[in-house]
Amino acid sequence: MTDTSLRPYAPRCDHRTTPLGIDESTPLLSWRLAGSGAPVAYRVEVVAGAWPLWDTGRVEDPAAVGVVYAGPAMRSQTRHHWRVTVWAQDGTESGTQSWFETGLPAADWQASWITHDQAAIDVVDAPEEGERALDAHGLLPCPRLRRVFAAPAAPVQARLYVSARGLYELRINGEKVGDAELAPGWTDYRHRVQYQTYDVTELVHAGGNVVAATLADGWWSGFVGFDPRRAGAHYGDAPQLIAQLHLDYADGTREVIGTDGTWRTARGPIRYADLLQGECHDLRQETPGWDRAGFDDGGWLAARVADTGHALLSASADEPVRVCGELAAKAITRTGPATHIVDFGQNFAGRVRLTARELIPGQRITVRHAETLDSEGGLYTANLRTAAATDVLLAGTGEEEVFEPRFTYHGFRYAEVTGLDGLETADITGVVLHSDTPWTGEFACSNPDVERLHHNITWGQRSNFVSVPTDCPQRDERLGWLADAQVFLPTACLNADVAAFFEKWLRDVRDAQGEDGGFSNVAPRLAGVADEGAPGWGDAGVLVPWHLYRVYGDERILARNLDAMCAWADFVQRNNPDLVWRHRVGPHFADWLAPEPTPREVVATAYFARSVELTARAARVLRHEAADRYESLARHIRKTFTERFADTDGRIEGHTQTGYLLAIAFELLPAELVPRAVEHLVALVEAAGPGVTTGFLGVGLIAPVLDEHGYADLAHALLRNTEPPSWLFPLRHGATTIWERWDGYTNESGFQAPAMNSFNHYALGSVGEWLYRGVAGIDQAPDSVGYRDLVIRPRLGDLSWARASYESVRGTVAVRWERDGGELRLDVTVPPGATATVHVPAADIDGVWESGRPVEQAAEVEIVGQEPGTFLCRVGSGEYRFTAESAWAGAS
């Protein structure tokens, strides 16, 4: 029999499962709830080793799904076990437990930053065809470093703390350490460098041991963004390593081995590795056993100590980039004597793993990458701009070689393999890389095109969440553009648990903020770039923290960002004292890539008002004295917006979809003008086909705004549209991700200008939020936080069924609805501790039933209101099945 009693599950520490090495002194310990029954109280206990450290005692709080640690200061480098017990209303109790481990504070670091002596390493000489362009930019071979040490006994515990300026791969006694890829991730190294902690107890043994590393340029000294690799355009000149190995023995002693001048270093077989340009392995230069004891490193050089500072080191705040899937080759086409094009059937971010046999030493195999094919059936690479996206293998002496790059990634669906006479599907695999954000959302419906749209949205998210939320994974850009992130965030939060991912990125955003309060356009900020954030871009420093708070209920997100939010609001006001945002320090992108441009001052002032309003709300939540001031300022900006940009008929200057969407969604207009503004918006949408003519800033608002104001049927019509601009048009051309442009390719014009034509760009996929909130009906009330007060309001449109589920911070929220003849079935799951207002489409209350009984007789259901064609039913946690006759009468 299934246990349906109330129980906590999925314990988290700072939104992560069992994080190893944290430096947060007051972490959030949270849990989700499942089963039946209402929670009434909880208790959290934390122990360090065998010693009780903190005990909340029984806390009466039926809404609690987490508590911030408030016990004594925790010791560093210590495993802390914790347990949560939850009591149900019927007196039963249940618990779950987990652990986290504290990291290595700056004061405990002893190691030095070390590097290879670049004067002793030659730039790749006599490059072969295809490598000359790369070498001309000064790419250097990846250095290897090693340190031999003798352990008197096998340790009872071993921890390795490691970071790099650049990228690293660590090995102990021939085994790779951990599963992180592209570590330590991207930050602005001038402000902060993340380190990772690894449990390497099983890798160290008594006797001779070796800890070894390979370094690559990565974001530190490689090609980054669209600037050429030049002096001053990057954070550093060559990669550096810092590592500290702690060995604890049974007798109570500890040995610490850190990077210093005693390490040995040499050039490795990776001739170059770059995130944009690619990676070259020359296996003729491989030295087997280099990462094991017994290897003769007499010809190696002493490592050079580059720095001894530790102040900028901080523990990783999120999960790393990992291998998160593999894709089999769908088709292989031979296009030349030794050339094959491989189709993986999916545009994604990652690399290939290639197995080659019967090679001769020095035989060259080249793998080029592209998102799509040209009219001749070859790779289309013009839109990559200066990114070569080319990996090279120079064969060694082995009969079989497995080639898989380690310090690069590409955005691609197709790979061209040159240099092999034959290639089978079993010989090549697509390796999917992205930040390991646990998936939380599922969506499906009766329209295969809309399902495919959702599929494309999710793959766009996977492809672009690579250490930071990038705009695209393929060309010479891949930057953390703030506007892209803020418009897509509501969709991203429903697809996956991105709390830790965006918490880390918000540190990057704050690091990039200028002393004058101006946020940047990208974060991390590039070296040598000092532009201030454009309207809608810089505002992400306000919008992102607020939305994360609403989704995850963690007030610390607001507390950490409030000063920066206030500084941004003050920065804009200071430069625009008349409250019309027309003066700026940096660029202005308006409603980027919109077919119908909106006046810049309309966009800017709308975002000014929104940022100030949300800053005021954040201050109010935190009971901060600034709330009154920003609430007053927001009122004045709204008044100014109406006076300057709206006429008495509700017409917004420019008369564009985005202009109306911003004014309505951000509540900038007086109530009497809203209906007319909505009518103007609807007329524009209908006149376009119906169609969408927004760019990045308006696209996520159009379906929710239409829905909220009674035009859900029109929002559904936009979903069904297949002519550009529309979400389904790219599907007609084989898209497997969201395009940057509505018309990235058309039969009439071919490819858009390659300077700005990514085929994997998630911003226009911001409609994904409405698939969950509108089509399926999973939402929360405007004043709800952490999905405590749910609103279940499905918008049926012309669909016959839809379903969605979402792992909220409280537990699983699920909705499934289906029309069968003259009846609607609506299944709803509400997690413990939450309530829901369920909108049941029905013409008559007598036709509404719940779990086989008239809804008016269901004790668990309270009828709390009625709208045209809909009854509002209030329910607590549990599972419900509503049925209604002639349900679509009056529903859309």
Side-chain angles (χ1 to χ4, degrees):
M1 178 178 294
T2 302
D3 182 9
T4 60
S5 60
L6 179 70
R7 63 191 184 281
Y9 71 101
R12 298 285 194 274
C13 174
D14 272 348
H15 308 287
R16 300 167 65 193
T17 303
T18 58
L20 185 62
I22 68 169
D23 59 10
E24 172 58 56
S25 60
T26 56
L28 173 68
L29 305 177
S30 61
W31 56 92
R32 298 171 186 160
L33 295 170
S36 60
V40 295
Y42 73 89
R43 177 188 183 186
V44 169
E45 303 163 86
V46 180
V47 298
W51 300 100
L53 191 62
W54 185 54
D55 187 341
T56 65
R58 177 172 167 139
V59 179
E60 305 294 325
D61 187 351
V65 286
V67 62
V68 174
Y69 176 82
M74 296 181 286
R75 292 183 56 190
S76 64
Q77 309 161 63
T78 302
R79 175 73 57 94
H80 294 74
H81 293 269
W82 67 281
R83 177 179 177 82
V84 58
T85 302
V86 175
W87 284 270
Q89 199 168 38
D90 61 5
T92 60
E93 65 179 72
S94 181
T96 188
Q97 57 190 8
S98 187
W99 58 266
F100 61 90
E101 191 167 305
T102 47
L104 191 68
D108 292 345
W109 279 90
Q110 305 170 21
S112 301
W113 293 92
I114 62 172
T115 187
H116 189 94
D117 187 350
Q118 293 301 320
I121 192 167
D122 295 328
V123 176
V124 182
D125 56 340
E128 300 182 38
E129 188 64 31
E131 295 175 55
R132 294 191 179 97
L134 301 185
D135 295 336
H137 287 289
L139 288 174
L140 300 174
C142 294
R144 284 176 167 175
L145 304 98
R146 70 192 303 267
R147 167 74 149 81
V148 178
F149 66 94
V156 294
Q157 176 176 288
R159 294 290 183 269
L160 181 63
Y161 306 93
V162 58
S163 187
R165 292 164 173 160
L167 304 178
Y168 71 82
E169 181 184 272
L170 261 291
R171 307 179 73 83
I172 292 180
N173 296 326
E175 300 292 329
K176 181 183 175 182
V177 174
D179 59 1
E181 303 282 345
L182 306 178
W186 187 10
T187 56
D188 185 337
Y189 304 92
R190 299 165 298 185
H191 292 273
R192 184 168 43 88
V193 184
Q194 293 195 136
Y195 71 86
Q196 286 75 45
T197 304
Y198 300 101
D199 182 348
V200 295
T201 307
E202 301 301 319
L203 299 182
V204 181
H205 51 69
N209 295 266
V210 169
V211 56
T214 302
L215 297 180
D217 285 326
W219 293 281
W220 165 259
S221 51
F223 284 80
V224 180
F226 30 64
D227 288 330
R229 189 173 188 269
R230 56 179 171 76
H234 294 79
Y235 306 101
D237 298 325
Q240 303 168 15
L241 174 73
I242 190 168
Q244 195 160 302
L245 177 63
H246 289 207
L247 304 173
D248 294 335
Y249 298 107
D251 63 2
T253 61
R254 167 175 286 182
E255 182 179 9
V256 177
I257 298 168
T259 44
D260 57 22
T262 66
W263 283 55
R264 309 287 288 173
T265 179
R267 164 179 165 166
I270 301 180
R271 295 175 65 167
Y272 54 81
D274 185 83
L275 291 168
L276 300 184
Q277 308 301 355
E279 189 163 325
C280 176
H281 291 201
D282 186 351
L283 298 187
R284 297 169 298 179
Q285 299 182 25
E286 184 57 270
T287 51
W290 74 278
D291 53 1
R292 296 178 181 272
F295 176 78
D296 182 6
D297 62 8
W300 289 35
L301 303 173
R304 180 173 66 85
V305 174
D307 188 7
T308 58
H310 308 123
L312 300 183
L313 287 167
S314 66
S316 293
D318 64 337
E319 293 301 301
V321 175
R322 291 189 172 103
V323 173
C324 293
E326 295 187 350
L327 296 173
K330 298 297 184 183
I332 296 179
T333 303
R334 187 181 183 92
T335 60
T339 303
H340 303 79
I341 289 183
V342 182
D343 180 5
F344 291 102
Q346 175 63 55
N347 201 355
F348 69 102
R351 62 197 184 212
V352 303
R353 183 189 310 116
L354 175 66
T355 301
R357 303 172 184 83
E358 299 179 358
L359 304 177
I360 60 175
Q363 182 174 343
R364 177 189 175 90
I365 301 168
T366 302
V367 184
R368 299 169 60 227
H369 306 78
E371 297 182 286
T372 189
L373 302 178
D374 61 24
S375 60
E376 303 299 320
L379 297 188
Y380 177 74
T381 59
N383 69 327
L384 304 185
R385 302 191 302 215
T386 66
T390 300
D391 300 328
V392 178
L393 170 67
L394 300 175
T397 59
E399 293 184 1
E400 179 177 291
E401 307 283 13
V402 178
F403 175 44
E404 183 174 355
R406 286 134 59 190
F407 301 111
T408 190
Y409 79 98
H410 312 289
F412 66 105
R413 171 177 172 172
Y414 299 93
E416 179 193 76
V417 181
T418 303
L420 293 177
D421 291 332
L423 184 65
E424 303 295 330
T425 56
D427 297 334
I428 189 166
T429 300
V431 180
V432 179
L433 295 178
H434 58 78
S435 291
D436 193 2
T437 53
W439 219 246
T440 55
E442 294 182 358
F443 172 86
C445 70
S446 58
N447 186 326
D449 283 341
V450 176
E451 278 197 338
R452 187 66 182 176
L453 171 63
H454 178 257
H455 168 96
N456 289 10
I457 291 169
T458 63
W459 274 98
Q461 179 169 333
R462 290 183 174 99
S463 303
N464 283 292
F465 281 19
V466 180
S467 185
V468 303
T470 64
D471 57 329
C472 58
Q474 76 296 98
R475 69 187 180 212
D476 57 351
E477 192 163 352
R478 312 188 198 182
L479 300 175
W481 287 99
L482 270 68
D484 302 52
Q486 65 95 351
V487 300
F488 188 73
L489 180 65
T491 298
C493 288
L494 289 164
N495 284 334
D497 184 345
V498 296
F501 177 79
F502 273 99
E503 272 269 68
K504 177 269 178 189
W505 185 66
L506 281 174
R507 295 187 187 184
D508 298 327
V509 171
R510 296 195 300 273
D511 286 344
Q513 189 172 25
E515 293 183 0
D516 58 1
F519 286 119
S520 60
N521 288 309
V522 298
R525 187 189 286 271
L526 296 176
V529 178
D531 64 318
E532 302 294 350
W537 272 252
D539 297 284
V542 175
L543 275 65
V544 170
W546 177 258
H547 190 79
L548 292 177
Y549 161 69
R550 287 216 54 216
V551 171
Y552 299 109
D554 187 350
E555 286 190 12
R556 299 174 311 157
I557 297 174
L558 297 181
R560 291 165 179 160
N561 289 278
L562 182 61
D563 287 347
M565 296 162 74
C566 293
W568 169 252
D570 294 344
F571 166 79
V572 179
Q573 182 188 18
R574 189 166 56 249
N575 284 281
N576 300 276
D578 66 351
L579 305 186
V580 174
W581 188 357
R582 59 171 63 91
H583 302 295
R584 60 193 183 280
V585 178
H588 198 317
F589 303 117
D591 187 21
W592 185 246
L593 295 181
E596 177 186 71
T598 300
R600 292 185 172 190
E601 291 181 8
V602 171
V603 172
T605 306
Y607 266 99
F608 182 21
R610 184 63 169 172
S611 282
V612 173
E613 171 67 26
L614 295 186
T615 298
R617 293 186 192 179
R620 186 66 66 194
V621 169
L622 298 173
R623 297 163 292 282
H624 193 283
E625 62 183 4
D628 290 341
R629 178 165 69 91
Y630 289 111
E631 286 171 356
S632 175
L633 178 59
R635 286 193 298 271
H636 284 91
I637 301 171
R638 289 194 295 270
K639 182 174 183 292
T640 300
F641 182 94
T642 300
E643 293 173 347
R644 175 64 179 79
F645 301 118
D647 67 15
T648 56
D649 188 43
R651 184 184 177 96
I652 304 299
E653 183 176 311
H655 192 52
T656 66
Q657 290 183 11
T658 293
Y660 290 108
L661 290 169
L662 294 175
I664 297 167
F666 294 173
E667 299 178 334
L668 305 182
L669 303 175
E672 63 271 15
L673 292 185
V674 172
R676 288 296 293 142
V678 171
E679 290 175 8
H680 291 311
L681 170 65
V682 169
L684 287 174
V685 173
E686 291 177 336
V692 184
T693 59
T694 71
F696 283 20
L697 297 184
V699 66
L701 303 176
I702 191 163
V705 167
L706 290 172
D707 181 359
E708 181 67 23
H709 292 274
Y711 292 91
D713 55 343
L714 191 54
H716 271 282
L718 294 179
L719 280 185
R720 296 192 301 271
N721 187 18
T722 60
E723 296 300 318
S726 71
W727 291 290
L728 296 190
F729 174 76
L731 271 65
R732 297 296 182 263
H733 292 277
T736 61
T737 46
I738 300 299
W739 291 358
E740 179 177 21
R741 294 178 176 270
W742 294 111
D743 58 349
Y745 177 88
T746 65
N747 289 333
E748 297 75 19
S749 304
F751 292 106
Q752 264 277 12
M756 196 69 62
N757 198 25
S758 162
F759 293 100
N760 197 346
H761 221 93
Y762 55 63
L764 295 182
S766 300
V767 70
E769 176 197 19
W770 193 70
L771 299 182
Y772 288 96
R773 288 181 53 205
V775 176
I778 294 177
D779 201 357
Q780 63 174 330
D783 58 351
S784 170
V785 172
Y787 288 85
R788 183 182 181 187
D789 189 1
L790 295 165
V791 175
I792 307 299
R793 188 187 181 209
R795 313 308 266 161
L796 311 184
D798 64 339
L799 300 172
S800 59
W801 63 268
R803 61 177 170 83
S805 65
Y806 171 59
E807 276 292 296
S808 76
V809 292
R810 300 187 177 279
T812 303
V813 183
V815 173
R816 177 185 172 90
W817 61 262
E818 182 175 8
R819 293 195 261 210
D820 185 7
E823 181 180 81
L824 173 79
R825 289 192 298 273
L826 174 60
D827 296 333
V828 177
T829 300
V830 180
T835 60
T837 301
V838 183
H839 294 239
V840 183
D844 190 334
I845 193 63
D846 293 335
V848 180
W849 293 53
E850 195 285 311
S851 298
R853 55 199 167 158
V855 70
E856 294 175 303
Q857 298 178 16
E860 302 87 354
V861 181
E862 178 188 3
I863 301 171
V864 294
Q866 182 178 359
E867 297 174 353
T870 303
F871 289 89
L872 281 60
C873 302
R874 188 76 170 170
V875 299
S877 62
E879 296 183 355
Y880 302 88
R881 167 165 286 186
F882 293 92
T883 58
E885 298 175 357
S886 302
W888 50 91
S892 61

